[in-house]
Amino acid sequence: MSAHQYDEGHTVAGWTGFGIATVGTTVAGVGVCTVSAALIGGGLGIVVAAVLVTWALHLTGWGKPPGRRDRAQWGIRVRDPLARAGHAGCVGCRLAGRGRPAEGHAEETRQLPVPVGETAG
């Protein structure tokens, strides 16, 4: 029996992004210690690249959707078969134009009527 009875979300996208971001923060930290604007900027650029790489891997199925997954999907080498359609409530999928509103948030997307006599300003 495994010590963990839940999905920790360890994915190829997560670990790749973590590794690249670690290099970026290290470069930026060295830049702070050596007072080098070029190293600080380069380190921050690497961190931005880590975000973009993680997002791209998530969209190709190597990331974890928000919420719980079935036990068969817990492995790090398992791709998400639903990534192309987008994940409900996932900001990354919504930014890519794939996501669906999360269940229970459909009421928030409707426009509420403005009471008579109220102004917007």
Side-chain angles (χ1 to χ4, degrees), residues 95-118:
L95 287 173
R98 295 184 184 181
R100 303 176 302 267
E103 296 93 27
H105 294 292
E107 296 82 24
E108 295 175 7
T109 60
R110 289 184 288 161
Q111 291 190 359
L112 299 174
V114 177
V116 176
E118 297 271 335

Side-chain angles (χ1 to χ4, degrees), residues 11-18 20 49-65 78-80 83-84 87 93 98:
T11 62
V12 172
W15 282 112
T16 303
F18 167 77
I20 296 171
V51 170
L52 295 175
V53 167
T54 303
W55 185 34
L57 286 171
H58 172 77
L59 293 176
T60 57
W62 291 109
K64 177 187 181 299
V78 177
R79 288 183 77 168
D80 181 17
R84 282 198 175 271
H87 303 112
C93 290
R98 295 184 184 181

Side-chain angles (χ1 to χ4, degrees), residues 2-87:
S2 174
H4 300 288
Q5 296 301 316
Y6 52 89
D7 180 15
E8 294 181 357
H10 297 300
T11 62
V12 172
W15 282 112
T16 303
F18 167 77
I20 296 171
T22 300
V23 170
T25 55
T26 301
V27 170
V30 169
V32 168
C33 292
T34 61
V35 191
S36 170
L39 283 177
I40 294 171
L44 294 176
I46 294 171
V47 170
V48 169
V51 170
L52 295 175
V53 167
T54 303
W55 185 34
L57 286 171
H58 172 77
L59 293 176
T60 57
W62 291 109
K64 177 187 181 299
R68 296 180 181 256
R69 296 189 296 177
D70 293 333
R71 186 177 277 278
Q73 294 288 317
W74 285 10
I76 192 168
R77 294 187 184 121
V78 177
R79 288 183 77 168
D80 181 17
L82 304 175
R84 282 198 175 271
H87 303 112

